[in-house]
Amino acid sequence: MIQASETESTVVVGAGTAGLIAAFELRTVGIYPRIFERESRVGDQWRARHPQLTLNTHRDLSYLPSMRYPVGTSAFPKRDAVVAHLEDFVAKESMPIEFGVEVDHISISDGVYQLATNKGTVTARNVVIATGRDRNPIIPTWTGLERFQGKVIHAAEFGNPCDYDGKRVLVVGSGNSGFDVLNHLAKQKTAALWLSSRHSPTLVPKRLFGVTVHRLSPFLACLPTRLVDAALAATSYVAFGDLGRFGIGKPAAGGATRLREGIALASDDGAVKAIKAGTIRVVPDVQWFDEDHVYFKDGRSCSPDIVISATGYAPDLDRMVGSLDLLDKQGRTLINGAQQLSHLPGLYFIGMRASIIGDIGSAKAQGHAIARAIRRGPTR
């Protein structure tokens, strides 16, 4: 059973990058939170992904507080480098993470939070939830999916890109996850490769004229949304030209506008070249499945061996905080960072919004603000 005092000052739920940043910032202001992590070690979410996975954000804008990536780390750190970075940070900062603790439900009574966990109940005056936006992979319930004889997986299960050699592969979704998969598959010897794109993405190159585009993000973050929308659109056009004739039209809204709606930018690292060469064929939205085929909105079809659903994630917060009246219809939190709801003083979320500077950069700013808000005390 979990050891609990009468009432904790602060509990951080989740020991991923956002949770570790929040805990670090709290410690810098003299608050030593308890840190709960449902997995048995840090970095398990990264370990579960394919070994070629990289950050889409530059290492110099993506390191944890108090330590940078080692010399020689690639500009966009790979999976194993990220895991090692997390482990090194925990060791350096002596983070007292309580592993194997999953918070099932949070309630509030008389201004104090009760955290029901798999190992007992803990009470706390402040709670920082850092469980991430991508806890629960989503695969749509397409008509006829149950009859399909091929394999259907989520992008989270992508695995080793070499496993797709000789296979006919359909990637559904042209957002951040979809283009990550396509960037890898474009380098493989697939028998056929299709992209089903319902909403045209805001697509940016990793590098343009030798410059790492993400390095400019702190500057862009200071500009009004409409100017960032224009800058991203111009960057995309300079890098790729008009992709309309290849089946990828202009996004319905600007990239920064969509970021505010929770939709991350898509990063190209070879996929666009393959689309222009015809190696990746772009098709419309999926309509239905039969035993052998996938049918699209325009009447076309294909017969893939494997369908990779890059159709996003849900934060999966309903069970934990669904009774607290703070989720929208899509299950997303109404607050993020140091924002507060009047009926829930002391409850914070970190890392629940996509940001142009990247998740780690934005978590640093949020963690700093949350720590100072908690140090100031409640406005109750």
Side-chain angles (χ1 to χ4, degrees):
M1 296 294 289
I2 200 166
Q3 297 296 314
S5 62
E6 289 187 3
T7 299
E8 303 290 343
S9 164
T10 307
V11 170
V12 175
V13 182
T17 51
L20 292 176
I21 288 167
F24 175 87
E25 291 291 346
L26 286 162
R27 285 156 62 110
T28 63
V29 297
I31 300 169
Y32 290 80
R34 295 184 70 174
I35 310 167
F36 296 158
E37 169 55 50
R38 67 175 180 174
E39 304 297 346
S40 61
R41 55 187 177 174
V42 295
D44 264 9
Q45 187 178 45
W46 274 88
R47 287 185 180 92
R49 306 293 287 276
H50 61 91
Q52 285 78 18
L53 181 69
T54 67
L55 286 173
N56 281 334
T57 54
H58 195 276
R59 63 169 182 262
D60 291 343
L61 297 173
S62 304
Y63 58 87
L64 290 166
S66 82
M67 62 180 293
R68 289 178 175 266
Y69 278 94
V71 174
T73 302
S74 59
F76 299 93
K78 289 187 176 181
R79 181 196 71 176
D80 291 348
V82 175
V83 171
H85 188 59
L86 291 168
E87 292 176 331
D88 291 346
F89 178 79
V90 169
K92 177 179 181 290
E93 298 297 333
S94 300
M95 288 285 180
I97 302 168
E98 298 176 54
F99 291 105
V101 180
E102 182 164 13
V103 177
D104 298 313
H105 181 71
I106 298 175
S107 58
I108 185 171
S109 177
D110 296 326
V112 175
Y113 293 95
Q114 289 81 42
L115 289 78
T117 82
N118 60 328
K119 297 189 177 180
T121 299
V122 174
T123 59
R125 290 188 297 275
N126 302 286
V127 179
V128 182
I129 298 178
T131 52
R133 303 190 309 274
D134 55 355
R135 220 175 183 207
N136 186 31
I138 297 172
I139 296 180
T141 54
W142 289 297
T143 301
L145 181 60
E146 70 284 354
R147 293 186 289 151
F148 184 60
Q149 298 300 304
K151 186 176 182 180
V152 179
I153 65 170
H154 192 274
E157 308 168 81
F158 179 57
N160 193 323
C162 295
D163 294 340
Y164 298 88
D165 284 353
K167 304 291 186 181
R168 297 175 311 225
V169 185
L170 167 64
V171 178
V172 183
S174 58
N176 182 42
S177 296
F179 264 84
D180 173 64
V181 168
L182 291 168
N183 288 333
H184 293 293
L185 290 181
K187 301 175 179 68
Q188 300 305 129
K189 297 178 180 179
T190 56
L193 186 53
W194 297 273
L195 165 63
S196 172
S197 178
R198 182 175 62 170
H199 300 300
S200 297
T202 298
L203 190 59
V204 294
K206 282 197 170 182
R207 295 178 179 85
L208 185 62
F209 304 129
V211 176
T212 302
V213 172
H214 182 244
R215 280 184 172 275
L216 303 176
S217 62
F219 167 71
L220 292 177
C222 299
L223 300 177
T225 299
R226 59 183 178 82
L227 293 182
V228 183
D229 283 342
L232 291 172
T235 300
S236 180
Y237 186 80
V238 170
F240 310 122
D242 183 3
L243 294 176
R245 62 193 179 97
F246 300 101
I248 297 180
K250 293 181 180 180
T257 298
R258 299 184 82 190
L259 274 168
R260 297 182 67 173
E261 298 168 356
I263 302 171
L265 305 177
S267 180
D268 174 68
D269 192 22
V272 170
K273 183 178 179 180
I275 289 171
K276 289 181 175 181
T279 307
I280 299 173
R281 285 172 278 178
V282 181
V283 292
D285 194 18
V286 169
Q287 293 297 289
W288 56 286
F289 286 67
D290 66 16
E291 289 81 358
D292 305 309
H293 291 78
V294 180
Y295 295 87
F296 305 106
K297 190 174 183 179
D298 64 354
R300 281 185 284 173
S301 68
C302 70
S303 54
D305 300 307
I306 303 171
V307 176
I308 302 175
S309 179
T311 43
Y313 299 80
D316 196 26
L317 290 169
D318 190 64
R319 182 182 63 172
M320 187 189 299
V321 296
S323 63
L324 296 179
D325 193 25
L326 56 73
L327 301 178
D328 65 16
K329 293 180 180 179
Q330 285 75 44
R332 298 173 301 191
T333 60
L334 298 175
I335 55 175
N336 190 46
Q339 295 172 328
Q340 289 276 267
L341 294 173
S342 59
H343 69 291
L344 296 171
L347 181 63
Y348 301 88
F349 292 84
I350 183 170
M352 294 295 174
R353 299 285 189 279
S355 167
I356 195 165
I357 62 175
D359 290 346
I360 296 173
S362 61
K364 287 180 181 178
Q366 293 165 21
H368 181 85
I370 289 170
R372 277 140 188 81
I374 291 176
R375 183 184 62 178
R376 287 194 301 270
T379 55
R380 313 184 188 197

